[in-house]
Amino acid sequence: MAIPNAVAGLLRRPARLGDEVYSAIFARIMSGEIAAGGRIGVDALARQLGVSQTPIREALGRLEAEGLVSKTHLVGYSVAPQLNARQLAELYEMRLLIEPFAARKCADVMTDAVIGQLEALCADMAALVNEEGLDAYAQFGQLDMAFHDQIAVSADNELLLQAQVGLHSHVHLFRLVRDAKVTRTVLDEHEALVAAIKARDPDGAERAMRSHIERSHARFATA
Ligand SMILES: [Zn+2]
């Protein structure tokens, strides 16, 4: 269904502003500039970012859907608290239910183009290895999320994808630890996973994903 260029342009323009505002608020939350549990002033943000309240409210609605922001009647918006130990354990139980199966199915049904995409994401993550600092770490978090989402997309099950995306794992996890060093360990785990998917080995892919998630849990639990 073709959309005339002029119309498509008009449709895209407000979306881009919305994305920029969303990214700016997201970065302030991830960096701790707006602390976990802290109030978010719509007026102040609108002034800081030089935009009206409308895109701010839209971005906050999106962050609310992602579980990063909550809205309370008469109080307004605040940043969701960090995951507690129980919520962390629950998140990993859900990941272990969903993601090893997604990896198995991906190895089984994906198109060859998926391999190139997964390898490109691995290469981008490898470029960040041994880098320290908030930017590199946040960038790594986004790439890690894209990598796991790509596997779920390629598993070709819309409900599975919704369940995985709905957990917002990486947003919550990468907020628990800030500024960590991007290490070789995670890259090795991802590469083992890609190798199994590339070999179209469902058992191996399931095992590699399970092991990656269990190790990830251990890393975040001690952090
Ligand atoms: Zn990962």
Side-chain angles (χ1 to χ4, degrees), residues 98-99 101-102 145-168:
I98 296 168
E99 296 196 45
F101 177 78
M145 177 166 68
F147 177 80
H148 286 261
D149 286 353
Q150 179 64 62
I151 291 171
V153 167
S154 309
D156 199 27
N157 179 326
E158 185 59 36
L159 290 175
L160 181 151
L161 175 63
Q162 281 173 23
Q164 178 172 317
V165 170
L167 293 177
H168 307 296

Side-chain angles (χ1 to χ4, degrees), residues 27-108:
R28 281 168 162 76
I29 294 173
M30 293 307 268
S31 70
E33 196 181 312
I34 311 176
R39 285 275 320 275
I40 304 172
V42 174
D43 273 349
L45 269 178
R47 271 196 310 276
Q48 283 171 26
L49 300 175
V51 296
S52 73
Q53 291 199 0
T54 308
I56 302 282
R57 290 187 186 281
E58 279 168 9
L60 291 173
R62 204 168 138 192
L63 290 160
E64 189 185 8
E66 291 175 357
L68 260 190
V69 157
S70 56
K71 191 182 179 189
T72 313
H73 183 56
L74 299 177
V75 175
Y77 294 97
S78 50
V79 179
Q82 303 269 31
L83 294 186
N84 59 35
R86 186 195 166 91
Q87 289 169 320
L88 183 73
E90 287 181 359
L91 176 61
Y92 274 100
E93 280 181 359
M94 287 301 290
R95 291 193 72 186
L96 280 174
L97 273 178
I98 296 168
E99 296 196 45
F101 177 78
R104 155 176 285 279
K105 183 104 189 283
C106 174
D108 207 14

Side-chain angles (χ1 to χ4, degrees), residues 95 144 147-148 170 186 190 212:
R95 291 193 72 186
D144 196 8
F147 177 80
H148 286 261
H170 292 77
V186 178
H190 284 168
H212 173 49

